[in-house]
Amino acid sequence: MPGHVGGQAVMLIPQRAPGVEQTTLPPDYQRILVAVRQAAGPVRARQVGEMLGVDISVRAKLEPLRGKLVRLADRGRLRKLPDGRFTTRL
């Protein structure tokens, strides 16, 4: 859902709540959630990047992905473990 903050268009990631479906997320966030769910356990941003075909050898390509993972965790859609790995919510 696009929104505006300070006159600039921004992408709003809704909080996880009853009745708010995954389909309300932008497509790249949906792909991230699917990749984390398909993993055999908690994953690092680098592993998610490999699953999504991101060039993980370049840190500048991996940091935006890490930011999206953190954003999904902040909104209650993923869980960030103390060691920096991500997993699905229980």
Side-chain angles (χ1 to χ4, degrees):
M1 294 183 284
H4 293 282
V5 175
Q8 293 186 353
V10 294
M11 193 178 317
L12 302 176
I13 308 303
Q15 293 283 342
R16 182 174 184 235
V20 178
E21 298 295 325
Q22 177 179 328
T23 56
T24 61
L25 295 173
D28 51 340
Y29 285 87
Q30 291 179 30
R31 287 188 10 219
I32 291 169
L33 284 175
V34 168
V36 173
R37 285 188 183 123
Q38 288 177 345
V43 291
R44 297 197 178 278
R46 180 174 299 275
Q47 293 168 301
V48 175
E50 287 174 349
M51 289 185 252
L52 297 176
V54 174
D55 183 6
I56 61 169
S57 65
V58 180
R59 186 176 181 102
K61 303 258 183 185
L62 199 54
E63 286 305 315
L65 175 62
R66 183 173 285 115
K68 289 177 181 179
L69 284 162
V70 169
R71 198 168 299 121
L72 287 168
D74 290 346
R75 305 296 194 290
R77 295 188 176 270
L78 291 178
R79 182 171 169 233
K80 184 175 181 185
L81 302 176
D83 63 0
R85 295 181 299 163
F86 295 89
T87 187
T88 56
R89 304 276 316 163
L90 297 176

